[in-house]
Amino acid sequence: MSAITEFVSTGKPVSAGERIPAGDAAAALSDDDLLQRYAWPDGDGVRIRLNFVTSLDGAVTVGGVSGPLGGEADHRVFDLLRRQAHVVLLGAGTARDEGYGAMRVDEASGAWRQAHGLAAHPAFALVSGRANLDPGSDIFANAPTRPIVFTLASAAAERRAALAEVAEVVVVGETSLDIAGLVAELHERGLTDVLCEGGPRLASALFDADAVAELCLSLDSLAVGGSGPRLTSGVAAFSRRFHLAGALRAEDLLLLRYRRARD
Ligand SMILES: NC(=O)c1ccc[n+]([C@@H]2O[C@H](COP(=O)([O-])OP(=O)(O)OC[C@H]3O[C@@H](n4cnc5c(N)ncnc54)[C@H](OP(=O)(O)O)[C@@H]3O)[C@@H](O)[C@H]2O)c1
């Protein structure tokens, strides 16, 4: 298991070819330590936490998927963030490109969740404006609880009807996604601690609506070039300031946590 520690600079200059020394083994954070670092802040209402990994030069994909980025430490945090969430929110593009299956956590996470008063598995909410998800896929066929599909009134009626056989289909907007409506639907279901696992189009809509409370950003030390998407793609420019709320490291990977600045 790759060691994750607090990010601490020695305060001394780093010579060419060196890196800031990694924390010693004793400083490695346990899963409980990490869960504490990533605990949801107190507060009412829906909080959306976005989790992304990027290359050093800002790409969120390498060869069309995020898999080559982040490595073991990022996967560990990814799983622990799921462990704490009421619901995982996902764009249909990511579900299709990354081959998502049903929303199930492992046994240790399930036990932790139940000990903390949560359902054994997080709920799964997918956003597909065109209702373009395969109703026969593992996402639905193997789901521990009926997933939610957020879609638009403009989606083809047959596709919505087919998905309604296997999911709760909720219309949030006529021709464009109504984020406030989506948030209200989650709130109504008591799904307030929301982990959004992407992708860029959904993330853009959430940033644009100023609905991102927290960004968990894993910064990989690999630069990749190319024309792959950034964390936000395809929306007009916006400006949202965040405060740094945490910085961990695993070798050269930084695990950063930013909270929306409200001051
Ligand atoms: N590095 C990372 O951490 C990370 C995380 C997640 C994803 N990714 C990568 O991102 C890529 C996918 O990008 P993407 O932009 O296609 O992702 P996406 O946001 O997951 O999916 C876009 C699709 O989801 C639906 N959707 C999302 N936002 C919508 C909105 N505001 N209104 C209506 N429908 C909306 C639409 O589905 P329909 O087409 O069905 O209408 C849209 O085509 C993949 O290559 C994946 O590997 C990387």
Side-chain angles (χ1 to χ4, degrees):
M1 189 162 70
S2 67
I4 299 178
T5 65
E6 292 287 352
F7 175 72
V8 185
S9 164
T10 58
K12 294 181 190 145
V14 176
S15 320
E18 289 183 357
R19 57 155 78 104
I20 296 172
D24 60 61
L29 298 171
S30 66
D31 283 356
D32 283 344
D33 294 332
L34 289 170
L35 288 164
Q36 194 202 342
R37 298 256 185 325
Y38 284 96
W40 291 90
D42 292 336
D44 298 329
V46 170
R47 290 90 58 85
I48 299 182
R49 166 183 274 175
L50 205 55
N51 185 30
F52 263 90
V53 59
T54 73
S55 69
L56 192 58
D57 52 342
V60 295
T61 59
V62 179
V65 288
S66 60
L69 299 171
E72 197 193 328
D74 177 58
H75 293 157
R76 190 173 155 209
V77 170
F78 182 95
D79 287 344
L80 290 172
L81 294 181
R82 271 193 184 178
R83 186 182 288 193
Q84 296 173 310
H86 292 167
V87 59
V88 173
L89 179 69
L90 192 74
T94 301
R96 292 188 289 257
D97 294 351
E98 301 274 355
Y100 265 68
M103 184 49 58
R104 287 180 179 275
V105 294
D106 65 17
E107 218 173 290
S109 289
W112 186 95
R113 291 176 59 84
Q114 285 174 304
H116 288 78
L118 299 172
H121 303 278
F124 199 7
L126 297 115
V127 176
S128 173
R130 297 176 297 154
N132 186 19
L133 290 160
D134 176 5
S137 79
D138 187 66
I139 290 176
F140 305 105
N142 195 23
T145 54
R146 215 170 159 77
I148 303 167
V149 175
F150 289 115
T151 191
L152 299 174
S154 54
E158 324 76 76
R159 281 215 289 261
R160 276 166 40 193
L163 280 171
E165 298 287 321
V166 294
E168 193 183 347
V169 177
V170 182
V171 172
V172 278
E174 292 296 317
T175 53
S176 73
L177 193 69
D178 171 10
I179 297 291
L182 182 153
V183 166
E185 293 287 346
L186 292 172
H187 191 257
E188 207 171 278
R189 290 163 180 76
L191 302 173
T192 54
D193 295 351
V194 183
L195 173 64
C196 179
E197 294 181 357
R201 183 164 165 207
L202 179 56
S204 301
L206 295 171
F207 273 113
D208 195 35
D210 201 5
V212 178
E214 197 171 285
L215 173 64
C216 297
L217 181 68
S218 300
L219 183 64
D220 196 302
S221 60
L222 184 72
V224 298
S227 55
R230 291 167 52 205
L231 205 157
T232 54
S233 292
V235 281
F238 51 76
S239 177
R240 309 266 179 258
R241 177 74 64 190
F242 285 70
H243 288 317
L244 183 64
L248 306 176
R249 72 175 288 191
E251 300 287 332
D252 294 317
L253 178 84
L254 281 180
L255 296 152
L256 304 170
R257 191 154 47 92
Y258 287 92
R259 289 221 180 100
R260 177 76 172 101
R262 296 288 175 198
D263 48 5

